[in-house]
Amino acid sequence: MFMNVNVWSFLGALVCIPLFLFTIFTPTIFKLFQMTGTHPLIIVFGVTLVIFLFGLVGLKDVREWKAMTRSMVSLILTALLMVVIGFIMIVGSLLS
């Protein structure tokens, strides 16, 4: 069954939060990415940005209040997560 972009962006927003927490609280993942030279939060930020853009695209499918609520929740969650990750990355780069 085909699900619209609105539902996928909502599910993606719900997945981004545990992904962020896993990245923050798992020290071995930092050692793994240290070998490649990329910060793992950059990857989480990129995934969150893509989900945010899908949420914006999903606004076109809004026909009822449930879809609007789902879309707004996914946009708010991803926007807040991007702000938090951006703050961590900026402050972390200033302190290192």
Side-chain angles (χ1 to χ4, degrees):
M1 178 113 190
F2 176 72
M3 295 171 56
N4 60 14
V5 179
N6 191 357
V7 174
W8 283 109
S9 67
F10 179 71
L11 292 175
L14 293 180
V15 167
C16 282
I17 294 171
L19 182 64
F20 168 72
L21 294 174
F22 177 75
T23 305
I24 290 294
F25 293 118
T26 308
T28 55
I29 203 163
F30 284 105
K31 292 177 185 174
L32 177 70
F33 280 99
Q34 195 173 27
M35 291 185 292
T36 62
T38 60
H39 199 281
L41 284 178
I42 292 174
I43 295 170
V44 176
F45 185 81
V47 170
T48 307
L49 180 64
V50 168
I51 298 298
F52 181 77
L53 294 175
F54 279 151
L56 287 176
V57 171
L59 282 174
K60 71 176 178 60
D61 293 334
V62 172
R63 304 254 189 272
E64 55 187 23
W65 68 270
K66 286 188 229 180
M68 176 60 87
T69 304
R70 190 172 44 235
S71 183
M72 295 313 282
V73 166
S74 67
L75 287 175
I76 290 170
L77 282 177
T78 54
L80 286 174
L81 192 56
M82 284 192 301
V83 167
V84 168
I85 293 172
F87 179 76
I88 290 172
M89 294 297 292
I90 291 171
V91 171
S93 68
L94 291 176
L95 293 177
S96 63

